[in-house]
Amino acid sequence: MANRFVLNGVSYHGYGAIQAVSEEIKDHHFQKALVTSDPDLIKFGVTKKVTDLLDEAKIAYEVFSKIQPNPTIDNVKKGLEAFKNSGADCIVAIGGGSSMDTAKAIGIVAKNPEFSDIRSLEGAIVSPNGCVPILAIPTTAGTAAEVTINYVITDPEKKRKFVCVDPHDIPIIAFVDPDMMASMPAGLTAATGMDALTHAIEGYITAGAWELSDMFHLKAIEVIGRSLRGAVKNEKEGREGMALGQYIAGMGFSNVGLGIDHSMAHTLSAYYNTPHGKACAILLPPVMAFNADASGEKYREIARVLGVKDVDSMSPKEYRQAAIDAVAQLGKDVGIPDNLKDIVKPEDIPSLARDAIKDACTPGNPKPVTVEEIEALFRSLI
Ligand SMILES: NC(=O)c1ccc[n+]([C@@H]2O[C@H](COP(=O)([O-])OP(=O)(O)OC[C@H]3O[C@@H](n4cnc5c(N)ncnc54)[C@H](O)[C@@H]3O)[C@@H](O)[C@H]2O)c1
Ligand SMILES: [Fe+2]
């Protein structure tokens, strides 16, 4: 079967990228925007960097900001109401994955009311009537939701996060401006950056990976590997590298899928509201070790682009360990814990594992996995 590849129509990159927002809205003849953002971004003046530009250009808009990290079904329903009441014809999504994912769900359901219960969006669909056009402006360097065809919604009642995949939800334009990320504190920069690295590594070794996706993922690992430490110190070059690196990872994984690191991370967020990036980051070295013997030569290339010397003279065992060690070192350098002791309650592990195995990311894992193996991975971290 042929491989499908979906990317944004247009994207802007680098400092000053947000300056293009008003012109794009005008060029598309949109009349009014619903701006989706979250309370902290409003508080820290991050959203305002864009709404000031809309004000200047006299573009009509309303703001919806009742979005929490790991956004819920209820957040989407309230956002949908705000969208309908506003009379907007486009959405400007400003924020991390939570704000952009909520925008995607609003945009799809606004055009396809048969999904108004939100839960039925789960899994892979091709929505019949498309999506409200979304212009996306990421404020974290992690999820790359501005270039992916995925969004993730939390169902607090059922204590689970569910992944929705629909080629129609991809933002029509992405504005990837490192200045929008400059206000992230170090811990958030580290966690979201490690989420991006997890996308790049899981996407590189996932079951559906192929030459085109490999090109994006390997480059993303390299750019993230050389940029994340600097971004955490809020250095300009590091921020610039992370804005680009996470986006390149998104271009890849959105089209080929991920693996059990994300399956397990989703359950941790659903049970304990663990920040997504932190969950992904802690799980990454042990999940890489688990998948090592199903990854062919790929860990040699991961080690190489992460700066490990003499990888060509290493045995598979050596270069696989070198890749895992380089990833663990990067996590350590940016302050990521190496265990789940403060997060996971041991008595929850059997049900965490049962939920993780059902996650939409599990089939993408390069190697088949059992519930017992996922349990063992969780146990190895407490
Ligand atoms: N759509 C996708 O393809 C995709 C991929 C991976 C993860 N996700 C989902 O995205 C969500 C996580 O998104 P996230 O990690 O970007 O974080 P987030 O959007 O949940 O934001 C976390 C916190 O960081 C704050 N924040 C964001 N940008 C900031 C800035 N510039 N300055 C100061 N504070 C800032 C927010 O206000 C919020 O309080 C999860 O629900 C995850 O499942 C989606
Ligand atoms: Fe992720």
Side-chain angles (χ1 to χ4, degrees), residues 7-21:
L7 299 170
N8 297 127
V10 178
S11 59
Y12 292 84
H13 300 271
Y15 287 97
I18 58 165
Q19 298 297 329
V21 171

Side-chain angles (χ1 to χ4, degrees), residues 196-255:
L197 182 68
T198 311
H199 296 156
I201 291 177
E202 287 211 289
Y204 186 47
I205 61 170
T206 196
W210 60 294
E211 230 173 336
L212 185 56
S213 62
D214 286 356
M215 174 184 83
F216 290 115
H217 289 130
L218 205 51
K219 188 67 189 176
I221 298 167
E222 178 198 320
V223 176
I224 294 165
R226 69 160 189 257
S227 308
L228 184 56
R229 292 177 180 87
V232 169
K233 292 187 205 134
N234 206 20
E235 291 167 4
K236 212 172 165 207
E237 213 176 301
R239 289 281 186 212
E240 209 163 16
M242 283 310 299
L244 184 63
Q246 61 91 32
Y247 182 87
I248 301 171
M251 293 165 93
F253 86 84
S254 169
N255 287 290

